[in-house]
Amino acid sequence: MNRPVVRLDNVTRSYGETTALAGVSLTFHRGELAAIVGPSGSGKSTMLNLIGTLDRPTSGTVEIDGHDIATLGDQELSALRAMTIGFVFQQFHLAAGLSALDNVAEGLLYTGTPLAERRRAARSALERVDLARRIYHRPNELSGGERQRVAIARALVGSPRLLLADEPTGALDSRSGDTVMALLRALHADGTTVVIITHDREVAASLPRQVQVRDGRIVHDSSRDRVPAC
Amino acid sequence: MLKTGRMSPRDVLRTGASGLRTRPLRVFLSALGIAIGIAAMIGVVGISTSSHAELQRTLDRLGTNLLTAAPGQTFTGAEAKLPKSTVDMVRRIGPVESAASTGDVDGYVYRNDRIPPAETGSINVKAADLGLLATTGTQLARGSWLNKATARYPAVVLGTGAADRLGIGSIESDTRVWLGGTWFTLVGILDKSALAPELDDSALVGWGAAERILGFDGHPTKIYTRTVESAVEEVRDVLAATANPQAPTEVKVSRPSDALAAKNATDKAFTGLMLGLGAVALLVGGVGVANTMVISVLERRAEIGLRRSLGARRNQIRTQFLVESQLLAGLGGIGGVLLGIAVTAAYALSQGWPVSVPVWAIAGGFGATLSIGALAGLYPAVRASQLPPTEALGAA
Ligand SMILES: Nc1ncnc2c1ncn2[C@@H]1O[C@H](COP(=O)(O)OP(=O)(O)OP(=O)(O)O)[C@@H](O)[C@H]1O
Ligand SMILES: [Mg+2]
């Protein structure tokens, strides 16, 4: 339980004059479920992108699943994303021309898994998000909540150790949002480390750990209330 | 340890094709540009080869073993004369299979005796050997050819052009023409002669009739001879000396099939021009594909970001767009090849030619589209692969 899946050490990310993230240190252990909250422009997405290895820090160290990403090249970073990290985005990012099944199967495309096996895994992933009866629907034939569930299925189809969600309920009504949150909780219950950016205070409060960000700094981390930083 | 398996070629193709499926109209239009260029080039090459095949077929049918000899001019500039015995002499050359001659006769031909003499219609009157048709490979359109009997009487056979000019389309038992001041009965009309086109504008009468009625001197003015195919060059070398031993340098020897082939070769410049136009169309098509790809990459930044988040390496993104571009151009290539073959077939069939599209043109045309696709897709693909994932995802 105590092996860190994510470790940020004094991480800074600047865009020219703007500093999106200023010296952030943060650790997520295996099996954690955490919310990142904060006002717009505070650096939440920047942080999540760094954790997801989609971006590199200007300074500081990012360690994911034990790998210092500064030492990894494009090929290894890509492998890390393909096998260890799953992403869920606010805008779903589904391919319009593909069925739900094939959208989910794309989640395994870059792992080198053969198509038949990808589809088999996609089918069971869609069953997990309760969309077994929608597998041949295209995104435009699905509701917003269903689309996000397809996106979650795509993120979990490769059984990633770490799931990152950037405002997964931001584009959904509250009922669909609740379903999506329930799914993410279930994933966490199965052992996945889940980190969720959310604007919704209620949602954030319902999660075991909240990390509050403002102006590129962590202003509050609920885990420090109980466990002193080690 | 941090390594994923390779994508199978099938997955590479599927992924490359995925961008095409959702934009069929755009795919059609950009492929069309390539298709037009390829079709133009295949069409030009195809029509040219088909016409060449037709020529070959014609030459095979007509034979390339016909040689002609004409008296030419003496060195003083006067018309030379071939001896009366020329045909017999030529027949004695070993490889000669047959020989026949015509002799120019003074005299004009009219539809009837009421036409003013000035309206000659430029029809040449010639005395003809009976073997002329067989030797020159000329066919009869209607009626019959001269025979031993009609050759001595006022009977005439008209070349196709001569018949047209006289306004004669059919032969009745009493169809006559006014020839050299006498009525000649029309017995036959010839088809167009490919190897002896001079017969088309001629009125042919028997050797005996020409001498007896028209005052013909009996000297042949043109010798036609068929030789064994393999000995054409040898016969050509000795024909002048045989036809006129006294003045061989005056004799003009030629091979009519050469003229036929040469006429076909004059189309080369036109073919080159059309090929150039096809190449320009292809270039424009390539620019169209490049344009489509650049727009495609711009529009699909979010997709690129998503793929990176799913674990796509930079080179996999680059490959995806290169494959997409090549598929786009390749679709145009296939369409263009089919269109080019269709155009060739339609044109060749309308001309009654054999349809012939060389395999090298098809393979070359298709290969060219793949190169064009690679070239047109290179820059957009590299740009797509270098897009930072966060920026790409933020674009949505
Ligand atoms: N590519 C970029 N270039 C320049 N500045 C950027 C870039 N990306 C982010 N920023 C800046 O960094 C800061 C943090 O942005 P970030 O997207 O992390 O905020 P956020 O907390 O996710 O906000 P929101 O809740 O609105 O999504 C902002 O001031 C933003 O303008
Ligand atoms: Mg954000």
Side-chain angles (χ1 to χ4, degrees), chain A residues 92-103:
Chain A
F92 324 136
H93 289 313
L94 299 178
L98 297 184
S99 65
L101 185 73
D102 283 338
N103 261 295

Side-chain angles (χ1 to χ4, degrees), chain A residues 44-46 166-167 197:
Chain A
K44 305 183 296 293
S45 294
T46 304
D166 193 342
E167 302 198 35
I197 293 180

Side-chain angles (χ1 to χ4, degrees), chain A residues 85-212:
Chain A
I85 308 169
F87 290 90
V88 176
F89 304 97
Q90 182 177 349
Q91 308 91 337
F92 324 136
H93 289 313
L94 299 178
L98 297 184
S99 65
L101 185 73
D102 283 338
N103 261 295
V104 175
E106 290 279 280
L108 288 173
L109 178 63
Y110 298 103
T111 60
T113 313
L115 179 62
E117 207 173 305
R118 294 206 299 273
R119 287 214 170 116
R120 207 175 314 128
R123 198 178 287 265
S124 70
L126 280 167
E127 276 163 18
R128 276 182 78 181
V129 300
D130 201 22
L131 282 179
R133 281 167 326 200
R134 298 275 191 277
I135 58 174
Y136 296 119
H137 286 234
R138 303 219 163 174
N140 64 335
E141 298 161 343
L142 296 170
S143 74
E146 286 170 334
R147 285 182 214 179
Q148 193 59 300
R149 276 146 70 194
V150 172
I152 289 172
R154 180 180 61 199
L156 66 82
V157 69
S159 313
R161 212 159 283 164
L162 174 63
L163 191 130
L164 306 173
D166 193 342
E167 302 198 35
T169 60
L172 305 178
D173 61 61
S174 63
R175 262 197 56 205
S176 305
D178 290 348
T179 317
V180 163
M181 283 311 298
L183 278 171
L184 294 175
R185 279 202 181 85
L187 239 107
H188 163 250
D190 289 346
T192 309
T193 307
V194 179
V195 179
I196 304 167
I197 293 180
T198 179
H199 264 120
D200 190 327
R201 297 213 153 270
E202 235 176 280
V203 167
S206 72
L207 300 184
R209 179 176 170 188
Q210 298 92 33
V211 177
Q212 257 184 52

Side-chain angles (χ1 to χ4, degrees), chain A residues 13-16 18-21 38-47 49 90 166-167 197 199 213, chain B residues 390-391:
Chain A
R13 178 66 168 103
S14 332
Y15 298 98
T18 346
T19 302
L21 222 53
S40 184
S42 57
K44 305 183 296 293
S45 294
T46 304
M47 194 151 116
N49 287 337
Q90 182 177 349
D166 193 342
E167 302 198 35
I197 293 180
H199 264 120
V213 187
Chain B
T390 49
E391 204 172 297

Side-chain angles (χ1 to χ4, degrees), chain A residues 49 54-55 67 72 74-76 78-79 81-83 87 89 93 97 106 109-112 115 118-119 154, chain B residues 1-5 10-11 14-15 22 302 306-314 316 389-390 393 396:
Chain A
N49 287 337
L54 294 173
D55 198 7
H67 302 281
L72 303 182
D74 180 56
Q75 180 168 338
E76 290 147 323
S78 299
R81 293 195 286 258
M83 299 187 301
F87 290 90
F89 304 97
H93 289 313
E106 290 279 280
L109 178 63
Y110 298 103
T111 60
L115 179 62
R118 294 206 299 273
R119 287 214 170 116
R154 180 180 61 199
Chain B
M1 174 183 70
L2 272 181
K3 209 166 178 319
T4 46
R10 184 174 165 218
D11 281 335
R14 267 175 64 93
T15 308
T22 43
L306 173 80
R307 287 184 184 278
R308 293 302 301 275
S309 83
L310 293 178
R313 297 196 292 265
R314 272 196 210 105
Q316 287 172 322
T390 49
L393 280 166

